[in-house]
Amino acid sequence: MSAKSHGFPWNLLVGYILSIVLTLLAVFIAFNTDFSNNIIIWVIGILALFQAIIQLFMFMHVTEGKEGIINVINMVNSLILALIIIFGSIWVLTSGHASMH
Amino acid sequence: MSWDEFFVTGDPLILASQIGIGLTMVGLIALITYLKRWKWLWSEWFTTVDHKKIGIMYVLAGVLMFFRGGVDGLLMKAQTSRPELDILDAQHYDEIFTTHGVIMILFMAMPLLIGIMNVVIPLQIGARDVAFPKLNAFSFWIFFAGAMLFNLSFVIGGSPDAGWTSYFPLAGKEFTPGVGNNYYALSLQIAGIGTLATGINFVVTIIKMRAPGMSWMKLPIFTWSAFITNIIIVAAFPILTVALLFMTLDRLFGTHFFTVAAGGDPMLWLNLFWLWGHPEVYIVVLPAFGMFSEVIATFARKNLYGYKSMVYAIAGIAFLSMLVWVHHFYTMGNSAAVNSIFSLTTMMIAIPTGVKIFNWLFTLRKGRIQFTTSMLWSLAFIPCFTIGGVTGVMLAMAAADYQYHNTMFLVAHFHYVLIPGVVFAVFAALYYWWPKMFGFKLNEKIGKWHFWLFVIGFNLTFMPMFFVGLDGMSRRMYTYAESTGWGAWLGFSAIGSLVMAAGFAALCYNIYWSFRYASRDVGNDPWNARTLEWSTASPAPHYNFAVVPEVETLDDFWYKKKKGETGLKKADLKPVHMPSNSWTPIVLAGAFGLVGFFLVFEWIPLAIIAAVGIVIGLVANTFDYDDGYHIPVDELEEEEREWRGDLE
Amino acid sequence: MTSHTTTPLEYNTEQSQMNILGFWVFLGAEIVLFSTLFASYFVLEHNTADGPAGQDIFILKDVLIETFILLTSSFTSGLAIHSMRNHDKKGLLIWMIVTLLLGAGFLYMEINEFIHYVHEGATIQTSGFTAAFFTLLGTHGAHVTFGIIWISLLLVQVYRRGITEKTSSKLFISSLYWHFLDVVWIFIFTFVYLKGMVM
Ligand code: HEM
Ligand SMILES: [Cu+2]
């Protein structure tokens, strides 16, 4: 691992360029296409997730060290929690009488 | 704000407590000064980073809080013992069930369980301390700061009164303008920081500091349950942090998260509170499962039946615990689909829980059972908890819950879960691990008194609540009419609570008696137990293990004892690295407490000044490069000889 | 240290391995924290009461600049750690200082953005939407502020002590924090700004 660090930091550069490109792509999709709002949200959401993965693997070295596998499990677990909290709350609070203030 | 608003005045009960608290404080300070114990307290306890001492302080704080919460409970029982009494008026009753609930869950159950984890886990995995000893001390002190801040509300400013769930809009400024619910938001926030830090600390400790050879399936079951508990802490407490932040902003800075007025949503509070709150009940009950498992295996003289299924059951419960929160507000007006799905997930929890009940029963089967006090608690737990569980499944059905919701039936249910699942467990654990903490056992005979009084009192207190609940008595009612016919039930219940209180008194007497008179000659392994903590001296030396043990199987110590391999080779001794004491945790926690106090009264400039204390503490901490110290071999040798006799 | 070792310096001691692992666990908690903030934002975002909605006040250009500043700072903090692993103290210090300057620039823009919103009649007390919006953004901004101060203090330590087992693990951990804040921002950019302007 250290051996890699000695050379030019290609993975950093690639990650950086990718994140800029993905950001611009998201802006383009949001403003310059005629997809339905729903599709736009899903697509730019997935692009954001891609960026997060890039940061995790290329910048944060999530798999590095003895505990690499544990870090990955931790991140996947946190993602599941995030989805439960976000989709769960939206579902509970915007369906049924709860939504008719 | 004038002074008579600042101090709670007007009520003789509170005045008496104010004077009592004042006198006790002055008395304590005078006593410590007279005995010249300040320095000792500071260097041995206030600045300690030793997990065993921190654990003991947690336990002490938890027992104190149990007393406070228990008195609240007794007052409520007294108030409802006959129809139309007015020992407490409605407002006062509101305050008391609120402080009772908050204190019991957050300042009694949590510190007692975390305290026992602190004492036991490093010993059980063969480690010398936790992963972050200084952070551990900080966890304790900031929890303590939060707990004290909460209790302060009783004498200064006024207690919170919107229930332990603090539902909005009631808990909003508009309906409860006093400072009581500010106390709620800020003290829970402060204590919560400590809990989250504990969670991270133990997760890392258990992942990284297990003795060589102790692979995951050789981990003692209590450590497993604690590991999963701490994972839930990390997953759930940040949700509470956010909910309390919103509450603070709404109350102090006029935002509209939960007020209907400008597009807020009170139901968002319910949703967030229970997103944390349900996992929280598993946080307090899972360690108990682990404790009972250890005790039952030890005193049935068998290995735990279905160890692996036990581990999977705990993990299953942990996962499901994040998926059931809506069962606390089925009646909020959710869509039918929401209620149905959450009914299903809730009922699913009964499956892994049932697995565990059968594991315990099968461990007992054909065992040579020893009826020690801690075993008695474990045995009583099984039927009592099952009653709690079965009534829980009744409540899980959304349609039926419209009938039970917010009745005394619910109150009886959760006390049948929490008291066996937390209080019995803590008692079992205290009797069991007491010799490891202090070097002497609690008296078994007084222990039996404690046990029988408490268990009988508990059932007498809470069984009647099921029936008045089914008969329509709602919770949080401060009084009721003669014509309801509930008087007899609740009279019984009140007497039961006195019996339970007598049980608690027996425990206090037991601690006093054993401290004075119990034999100090208990050896390292008084119960002939199975796990590593029993392989080192009682009380455990500050370095825990002179030589880090190597583990080959589950219950390694048990098999080593059979093979006669528990000795210590002098040649194996090496200097032991220890962390140094630190003043930052207690000072930092004090600064947090102060900021909290000023914020409660909305004295923002003072709060900002106090916050400088936090910054100074943090800066001092990052520049602290203290590397700890080493205990030399001769010192180890001397201490080990003291209880082992000659070394090999 | 010779170049034969396979793991970087910051993983050398058991304690630093535990510190790094502990920080990852903490990041797990942070993910839950921000998820809760996002969840609340999604629930309240249409409750604008009498105040403005997102699309009335957001300015794409400014937000895009903030995003690029933060993305770049994440990149430069990566370069700092890269230098650190090459035992290049000067590179580490320089890239980290660049990172912090970018962080400060981001904060400056964000504060201006908030002032602009207040002028448009959107304060934190205006509506459910503004409460959730300012709290989500404010929590992120507070993290960035904390990060700038914290990392500055760490740089003092590196400057004095050089790249050691201890300083390197501290710096590595702080870089994880910084990258994480960038990740949070990406989601804010996507689900608060872009979504708010499109819908
Ligand atoms: C020491 C014996 C105890 C007694 C006599 C007792 C009694 C009571 C009573 C009378 C109520 C209020 C019922 C009502 O009017 O709604 C109550 C509520 C409650 N109790 Fe206990 N209890 C005891 C122990 C515990 C323990 C050990 C816990 C938790 C670990 C606990 C947690 C709660 C909670 C959360 C509430 C609800 C508070 C609220 O309505 O906001 N109690 N208890
Ligand atoms: Cu629940």
Side-chain angles (χ1 to χ4, degrees):
Chain A
M1 271 172 253
S2 173
K4 250 193 265 162
S5 322
H6 287 289
F8 186 79
W10 282 111
N11 56 344
L12 289 178
L13 190 65
V14 172
Y16 179 52
I17 293 171
L18 273 178
S19 53
I20 301 266
V21 170
L22 288 172
T23 304
L24 291 173
L25 193 62
V27 174
F28 177 80
I29 290 171
F31 293 102
N32 298 337
T33 57
D34 336 303
F35 296 124
S36 72
N37 281 345
N38 222 341
I39 293 180
I40 288 180
I41 299 299
W42 277 100
V43 173
I44 61 178
I46 290 167
L47 291 180
L49 204 61
F50 262 126
Q51 286 214 48
I53 292 172
I54 288 171
Q55 294 271 340
L56 272 176
F57 284 88
M58 301 180 105
F59 287 11
M60 296 168 83
H61 314 276
V62 62
T63 56
E64 192 178 76
K66 280 191 218 148
E67 273 71 45
I69 182 76
I70 289 177
N71 289 344
V72 175
I73 295 173
N74 174 14
M75 285 299 112
V76 171
N77 180 48
S78 304
L79 179 68
I80 295 172
L81 288 170
L83 295 176
I84 291 175
I85 293 168
I86 292 170
F87 286 104
S89 300
I90 295 174
W91 187 42
V92 169
L93 292 171
T94 60
S95 65
H97 305 295
S99 59
M100 309 172 204
H101 299 293
Chain B
M1 160 176 301
S2 64
W3 283 108
D4 60 322
E5 274 176 72
F6 186 69
F7 286 108
V8 179
T9 50
D11 187 313
L13 217 68
I14 294 185
L15 186 66
S17 330
Q18 280 167 336
I19 296 173
I21 292 172
L23 287 180
T24 318
M25 296 243 286
V26 173
L28 262 180
I29 292 173
L31 188 73
I32 297 170
T33 314
Y34 176 72
L35 294 174
K36 301 207 170 66
R37 284 296 199 171
W38 282 112
K39 211 170 155 217
W40 171 81
L41 262 185
W42 179 258
S43 60
E44 291 291 313
W45 293 93
F46 290 175
T47 59
T48 187
V49 293
D50 180 337
H51 68 97
K52 300 175 289 297
K53 286 186 176 166
I54 292 172
I56 289 171
M57 292 194 288
Y58 265 120
V59 169
L60 194 68
V63 171
L64 276 177
M65 288 293 107
F66 191 31
F67 178 75
R68 157 90 210 259
V71 171
D72 285 346
L74 290 176
L75 281 172
M76 287 188 284
K77 289 280 76 182
Q79 163 62 23
T80 55
S81 60
R82 309 290 328 133
E84 320 219 9
L85 285 183
D86 47 12
I87 303 171
L88 305 173
D89 58 25
Q91 171 63 22
H92 205 163
Y93 194 86
D94 290 353
E95 292 176 8
I96 285 194
F97 68 65
T98 303
T99 54
H100 167 78
V102 172
I103 287 180
M104 284 299 194
I105 304 263
L106 286 145
F107 301 135
M108 184 284 285
M110 293 299 280
L112 280 169
L113 296 166
I114 289 178
I116 291 165
M117 285 190 222
N118 255 295
V119 172
V120 175
I121 286 175
L123 290 168
Q124 225 174 30
I125 62 175
R128 294 227 164 90
D129 209 316
V130 293
F132 313 115
K134 201 159 57 162
L135 184 67
N136 199 23
F138 176 67
S139 288
F140 170 74
W141 287 111
I142 195 154
F143 143 75
F144 193 70
M148 289 302 106
L149 184 61
F150 187 82
N151 279 279
L152 206 58
S153 67
F154 181 52
V155 286
I156 298 180
S159 297
D161 54 2
W164 91 282
T165 48
S166 234
Y167 279 1
F168 281 76
L170 178 60
K173 194 98 179 174
E174 193 184 347
F175 297 101
T176 45
V179 295
N181 291 314
N182 294 355
Y183 269 115
Y184 177 100
L186 290 153
S187 60
L188 264 58
Q189 187 71 284
I190 289 174
I193 300 171
T195 310
L196 181 61
T198 299
I200 295 172
N201 211 336
F202 278 102
V203 168
V204 178
T205 304
I206 296 170
I207 291 178
K208 287 289 286 181
M209 298 181 76
R210 284 167 289 134
M214 188 181 273
S215 54
W216 287 106
M217 282 299 153
K218 293 175 190 159
L219 203 59
I221 194 75
F222 173 60
T223 304
W224 252 120
S225 69
F227 180 58
I228 293 180
T229 304
N230 284 294
I231 292 177
I232 310 182
I233 288 181
V234 176
F237 265 77
I239 306 173
L240 179 69
T241 306
V242 172
L244 292 172
L245 171 68
F246 291 171
M247 178 173 178
T248 310
L249 290 174
D250 264 13
R251 290 190 59 93
L252 265 58
F253 301 100
T255 56
H256 298 286
F257 285 100
F258 306 129
T259 54
V260 188
D265 186 351
M267 289 153 190
L268 177 62
W269 167 266
L270 272 77
N271 182 70
L272 296 182
F273 182 86
W274 287 113
L275 254 170
W276 159 79
H278 188 84
E280 166 66 16
V281 307
Y282 281 93
I283 291 169
V284 296
V285 93
L286 285 183
F289 291 169
M291 294 171 185
F292 288 129
S293 303
E294 299 285 358
V295 171
I296 288 175
T298 299
F299 295 113
R301 297 267 165 273
K302 284 174 66 188
N303 41 13
L304 188 66
Y305 181 88
Y307 167 85
K308 279 193 185 168
S309 63
M310 199 71 134
V311 172
Y312 296 135
I314 300 176
I317 292 176
F319 179 69
L320 286 174
S321 79
M322 295 301 303
L323 295 170
V324 298
W325 73 94
V326 173
H327 65 213
H328 294 275
F329 49 88
Y330 285 140
T331 55
M332 187 175 85
N334 312 300
S335 66
V338 169
N339 276 1
S340 312
I341 293 291
F342 281 91
S343 281
L344 276 177
T345 52
T346 304
M347 284 187 230
M348 260 151 62
I349 289 201
I351 299 169
T353 316
V355 169
K356 302 172 70 66
I357 299 274
F358 283 103
N359 279 331
W360 290 314
L361 292 178
F362 280 115
T363 308
L364 290 167
R365 187 169 166 266
K366 291 199 179 157
R368 279 172 286 131
I369 298 175
Q370 275 178 305
F371 292 97
T372 57
T373 309
S374 52
M375 186 62 163
L376 287 177
W377 289 114
S378 314
L379 294 176
F381 158 77
I382 298 175
C384 293
F385 187 80
T386 305
I387 295 175
V390 170
T391 49
V393 177
M394 293 168 71
L395 292 159
M397 279 174 275
D401 185 59
Y402 271 79
Q403 206 60 38
Y404 310 131
H405 184 67
N406 274 356
T407 64
M408 285 314 252
F409 184 86
L410 168 79
V411 175
H413 150 72
F414 67 65
H415 283 88
Y416 260 92
V417 180
L418 285 168
I419 293 184
V422 178
V423 182
F424 287 14
V426 166
F427 288 156
L430 286 181
Y431 279 89
Y432 184 64
W433 278 299
W434 196 269
K436 199 47 67 184
M437 289 154 82
F438 297 105
F440 60 91
K441 288 187 191 175
L442 286 174
N443 182 290
E444 284 285 311
K445 204 152 151 214
I446 310 174
K448 306 259 147 86
W449 276 98
H450 170 206
F451 171 76
W452 286 109
L453 286 171
F454 200 91
V455 171
I456 292 172
F458 157 68
N459 280 288
L460 273 180
T461 311
F462 292 102
M463 193 54 85
M465 291 191 192
F466 280 122
F467 299 104
V468 287
L470 290 178
D471 202 24
M473 180 177 182
S474 57
R475 75 192 284 198
R476 298 171 176 171
M477 270 173 77
Y478 86 106
T479 195
Y480 53 95
E482 175 97 58
S483 57
T484 54
W486 299 331
W489 287 117
L490 292 171
F492 250 120
S493 170
I495 294 171
S497 67
L498 289 176
V499 179
M500 203 174 6
F504 183 74
L507 170 68
C508 296
Y509 178 65
N510 198 352
I511 293 176
Y512 165 77
W513 190 93
S514 309
F515 189 71
R516 295 276 314 250
Y517 305 114
S519 156
R520 281 349 194 223
D521 186 21
V522 288
N524 60 315
D525 182 21
W527 312 113
N528 192 10
R530 317 177 75 83
T531 39
L532 281 180
E533 72 270 31
W534 304 104
S535 70
T536 191
S538 310
H542 55 133
Y543 50 82
N544 289 1
F545 299 94
V547 172
V548 173
E550 291 208 19
V551 174
E552 284 153 36
T553 69
L554 184 62
D555 292 344
D556 197 66
F557 180 56
W558 178 257
Y559 296 103
K560 289 252 164 74
K561 275 194 287 191
K562 286 202 169 154
K563 288 192 273 179
E565 290 177 0
T566 56
L568 180 71
K569 293 200 190 63
K570 200 173 145 186
D572 290 346
L573 289 177
K574 284 192 202 76
V576 171
H577 177 251
M578 299 292 293
S580 312
N581 284 0
S582 169
W583 57 266
T584 29
I586 185 170
V587 172
L588 207 49
F592 269 100
L594 215 55
V595 172
F597 180 76
F598 291 141
L599 282 180
V600 164
F601 288 94
E602 305 177 25
W603 297 334
I604 308 297
L606 282 177
I608 292 173
I609 295 172
V612 175
I614 298 179
V615 175
I616 293 175
L618 289 176
V619 173
N621 192 51
T622 183
F623 282 101
D624 178 10
Y625 274 72
D626 190 302
D627 265 331
Y629 62 99
H630 283 86
I631 307 176
V633 171
D634 357 321
E635 204 179 313
L636 293 175
E637 201 183 320
E638 196 178 320
E639 281 210 37
E640 291 293 309
R641 265 184 215 285
E642 227 165 81
W643 65 279
R644 288 180 191 266
D646 275 335
L647 306 185
E648 284 172 30
Chain C
M1 286 290 306
T2 62
S3 56
H4 296 298
T5 46
T6 47
T7 41
L9 185 61
E10 56 268 27
Y11 289 92
N12 252 11
T13 65
E14 278 292 310
Q15 188 64 51
S16 11
Q17 287 175 24
M18 291 198 287
N19 293 353
I20 294 170
L21 177 63
F23 199 79
W24 276 104
V25 178
F26 171 72
L27 287 185
E30 287 270 49
I31 292 178
V32 174
L33 183 121
F34 278 103
S35 307
T36 312
L37 288 166
F38 272 108
S40 309
Y41 175 78
F42 293 144
V43 169
L44 296 175
E45 112 190 86
H46 304 293
N47 302 1
T48 48
D50 301 326
Q55 72 247 49
D56 304 332
I57 51 177
F58 295 156
I59 302 171
L60 179 64
K61 192 184 105 226
D62 291 358
V63 179
L64 254 182
I65 295 175
E66 285 169 39
T67 306
F68 287 136
I69 291 181
L70 218 50
L71 284 177
T72 310
S73 81
S74 190
F75 173 60
T76 55
S77 78
L79 290 177
I81 295 305
H82 180 80
S83 311
M84 183 176 90
R85 290 186 170 181
N86 287 333
H87 310 286
D88 172 6
K89 175 172 157 185
K90 206 167 137 208
L92 166 62
L93 288 174
I94 290 174
W95 284 120
M96 263 306 177
I97 290 170
V98 172
T99 305
L100 296 186
L101 289 176
L102 288 168
F106 167 84
L107 272 186
Y108 175 78
M109 290 207 57
E110 186 165 52
I111 290 168
N112 274 335
E113 185 195 328
F114 282 6
I115 293 172
H116 160 75
Y117 297 153
V118 171
H119 283 306
E120 299 280 319
T123 74
I124 194 170
Q125 292 151 335
T126 307
S127 64
F129 157 69
T130 59
F133 171 81
F134 280 111
T135 309
L136 171 58
L137 277 272
T139 307
H140 177 265
H143 274 73
V144 174
T145 313
F146 177 83
I148 292 175
I149 300 171
W150 176 34
I151 296 176
S152 310
L153 295 175
L154 294 187
L155 290 183
V156 175
Q157 295 167 37
V158 172
Y159 179 74
R160 286 202 200 146
R161 293 164 184 271
I163 300 173
T164 67
E165 279 171 350
K166 278 197 174 177
T167 53
S168 65
S169 81
K170 285 185 175 195
L171 257 290
F172 180 68
I173 287 170
S174 72
S175 80
L176 291 181
Y177 182 78
W178 198 264
H179 293 308
F180 173 75
L181 294 183
D182 188 33
V183 174
V184 173
W185 181 261
I186 292 163
F187 285 96
I188 291 179
F189 174 69
T190 307
F191 286 112
V192 175
Y193 290 109
L194 286 187
K195 179 167 178 259
M197 283 184 272
V198 169
M199 293 187 108

